Amino acid sequence: MGATIIDGTAVSRELRARLHGELDAVRSSGADPGLASVVVGDDYAAHAYERRLRRLAEAVGCRFQAERLPVDVERAEVLATIGKLNADPRITGILILRPLPPQLSEVEIYPTLDPLKDVEAVHPVNAGLMARGTPRFVPSTPASCFWILDDYFRSSGREPATALRGKTVVIVGRSHNVGKPAVWLALDRGAIVIDCDEHAFHAGRLAEFTRQADVLVVAAGAPGLITGDMVSDGVVVVDVGINAVPAGAGGRVRLVGDVDFESVASRAEAITPVPGGVGPVTDVWLVRNTVLGSVIQQTSLDIGPWPPA
Ligand code: NAD
């Protein structure tokens, strides 16, 4: 029997309808969400993501502001831009898009964000809250992976809150924005969690672990990394990877995931495609976090104004 192909676009439509309702509810209580993105340089994917977010935010009625800085920008100017957004009451969510050029260290930049506007939970306080199992914001990509999984479990007769208890969840990739928070979310659900990064691959040990997966989440940025011989029958696969690979003449490209779809789908219980899987859900989730940010700021939850007076 073939795998169920999980329709991320349908999941995203449902989430978007929910977002409309959430926006109406927060507006009626006086909050006013606004999302700002910061892009440094000319990275094609970052600019494409910024445009997609603008379209989505404007379509659902959330303010959107794009800050664009040149690739050779000084660190001080980036900090000034972040400071301006931190101080702007009309902005309730700030997204710093990657990649950053070499003169800008993520470790130095992220702590300058107002943690109450840090919708991707990259500020050390928010990452710490996530790791502790009490997140303020759940970063959009891992949040989407687990939202999709919950939806699939529900539709196949399993209770999402308990479906992962005692199951083996294998995560491939260990980035701050995807892999690590996905580990924390899986731990919170009572799963046995294995995380592999490029070193597991170079040690020739990746398949040893991916074969143990009941649920496999792959976020490595390596096209076709996971093949059918690396998974066990009945695995549920979430492919986060988005990779542009050559597609015929004329420099055309097509988008593929980190999973070799055909061979893995022939063994899996269910699988997300690329495109049309995690991506569409992630965008909606980020705007949702911006709405949450407006509520957090309006009610001054837990740690007050930033930086402290
Ligand atoms: P990243 O480069 O920050 O991290 C990649 C991680 O994968 C690292 O931990 C690295 O060690 C590991 N890795 C790389 N090659 C590997 C290999 N051969 N075997 C095992 N591990 C390997 O990337 P990221 O930001 O986490 O993104 C990962 C992928 O997910 C990219 O393709 C990116 O475009 C995609 N992405 C998709 C969405 C979405 O909404 N679908 C959102 C964010 C990122």
Side-chain angles (χ1 to χ4, degrees):
M1 207 174 72
T4 299
I5 301 184
I6 298 174
D7 182 353
T9 309
V11 177
S12 123
R13 259 197 307 275
E14 188 271 332
L15 194 60
R16 193 166 152 157
R18 209 178 259 260
L19 173 63
H20 270 290
E22 289 162 352
L23 269 160
D24 288 345
V26 298
R27 285 225 186 78
S28 65
S29 71
D32 188 15
L35 172 63
S37 66
V38 181
V39 177
V40 183
D42 300 322
D43 183 72
Y44 175 83
H47 280 270
Y49 189 35
E50 180 215 270
R51 283 194 298 276
R52 256 192 3 247
L53 281 177
R54 175 185 290 284
R55 270 200 304 277
L56 171 66
E58 291 178 352
V60 297
C62 172
R63 211 175 318 99
F64 183 81
Q65 181 174 325
E67 299 284 345
R68 293 177 180 173
L69 297 166
V71 71
D72 58 353
V73 66
E74 302 270 345
R75 185 171 164 273
E77 195 182 334
V78 179
L79 297 191
T81 302
I82 293 172
K84 181 186 77 175
L85 297 172
N86 283 345
D88 185 344
R90 294 169 311 141
I91 296 300
T92 63
I94 305 171
L95 168 70
I96 300 179
L97 282 148
R98 299 162 74 213
L100 293 175
Q103 76 276 18
L104 302 174
S105 136
E106 289 177 20
V107 175
E108 284 177 10
I109 298 286
Y110 290 160
T112 69
L113 278 168
D114 178 345
L116 302 186
K117 299 186 179 187
D118 169 31
V119 282
E120 280 295 68
V122 292
H123 187 288
V125 168
N126 289 329
L129 287 169
M130 264 240 55
R132 196 178 68 171
T134 54
R136 177 185 283 137
F137 295 107
V138 181
S140 57
T141 308
S144 302
C145 294
F146 282 83
W147 184 266
I148 288 170
L149 281 170
D150 284 353
D151 190 71
Y152 174 70
F153 290 141
R154 212 174 286 113
S155 71
S156 55
R158 282 164 277 189
E159 171 53 47
T162 54
L164 291 176
R165 287 188 190 161
K167 301 287 182 193
T168 303
V169 175
V170 178
I171 296 170
V172 179
R174 198 174 287 171
S175 64
H176 292 302
N177 56 320
V178 190
K180 279 184 190 164
V183 166
W184 297 327
L185 291 177
L187 290 173
D188 287 346
R189 284 153 187 258
I192 300 149
V193 185
I194 299 172
D195 181 84
C196 298
D197 74 352
E198 64 201 86
H199 299 297
F201 172 79
H202 292 306
R205 299 191 60 192
L206 193 55
E208 178 186 333
F209 298 106
T210 54
R211 281 192 200 113
Q212 296 181 41
D214 296 304
V215 170
L216 179 63
V217 177
V218 190
L225 173 67
I226 305 296
T227 47
D229 58 319
M230 295 171 70
V231 298
S232 293
D233 290 337
V235 64
V236 174
V237 180
V238 178
D239 187 356
V240 181
I242 302 177
N243 308 287
V245 297
R252 288 165 51 153
V253 295
R254 67 189 176 97
L255 296 181
V256 299
D258 289 346
V259 173
D260 177 54
F261 187 83
E262 296 302 329
S263 65
V264 174
S266 72
R267 305 196 70 171
E269 173 189 318
I271 183 167
T272 61
V274 177
V278 178
V281 185
T282 303
D283 299 355
V284 184
W285 202 282
L286 191 70
V287 179
R288 249 192 134 194
N289 274 355
T290 304
V291 176
L292 172 62
S294 72
V295 176
I296 289 175
Q297 284 152 55
Q298 193 189 33
T299 51
S300 299
L301 285 183
D302 57 31
I303 60 169
W306 190 264

